[in-house]
């Protein structure tokens, strides 16, 4: 991950953290790039927030279905070696 890009991206995190929405569609990713291999399988979801829709990775190994209520949270999104930055980003988790 590039530090400058990481810094720019994290400025939008405050907009998403804690925001709740409804899953429109979901898919499970079983094959991905090496940086996301540690998280396989993971869900990739399209979430409706009422006025807008946005795409996110699912938190943990949760599977999502249409209509699930979710909340955005800050989570680890990439894995690297001991010398690289820890990649964080927004993921969604189910809420009851």
């Amino acid at each position: 991950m590039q530090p400058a890009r990481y810094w720019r991206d994290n400025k939008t995190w405050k907009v998403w953290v804690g925001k709740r929405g409804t899953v429109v569609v979901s898919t499970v990713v079983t094959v991905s790039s090496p940086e996301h291999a540690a998280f396989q399988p993971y869900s990739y979801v399209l979430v409706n927030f009422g006025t807008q829709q946005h795409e996110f990775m699912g938190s943990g190994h949760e599977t999502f279905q249409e209509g699930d209520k979710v909340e955005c949270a800050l989570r680890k999104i990439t894995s690297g070696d001991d010398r690289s930055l820890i990649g964080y980003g927004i993921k969604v988790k189910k809420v009851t």
Side-chain angles (χ1 to χ4, degrees):
M1 179 167 265
Q2 302 164 343
R5 180 174 173 217
Y6 187 78
W7 175 250
R8 283 191 303 272
D9 288 349
N10 76 24
K11 291 182 181 185
T12 64
W13 292 346
K14 66 182 175 187
V15 173
W16 296 110
V17 172
K19 198 168 192 176
R20 291 183 177 210
T22 305
V23 173
V24 176
V25 67
S26 173
T27 188
V28 175
V29 178
T30 56
V31 178
S32 68
S33 64
E35 64 186 11
H36 294 118
F39 303 104
Q40 291 175 2
Y42 63 89
S43 293
Y44 195 74
V45 298
L46 177 63
V47 180
N48 182 2
F49 293 103
T51 59
Q52 61 182 336
Q53 294 183 349
H54 205 276
E55 303 162 349
F56 294 102
M57 283 177 68
S59 184
H61 296 289
E62 286 185 298
T63 56
F64 297 86
Q65 295 182 4
E66 183 179 337
D68 284 347
K69 302 295 182 195
V70 295
E71 180 178 42
C72 295
L74 187 63
R75 296 285 186 265
K76 188 175 175 181
I77 61 170
T78 60
S79 60
D81 58 23
D82 293 338
R83 290 178 249 139
S84 62
L85 287 174
I86 298 172
Y88 285 91
I90 302 297
K91 289 186 177 182
V92 291
K93 60 182 182 176
K94 288 183 184 179
V95 293
T96 55

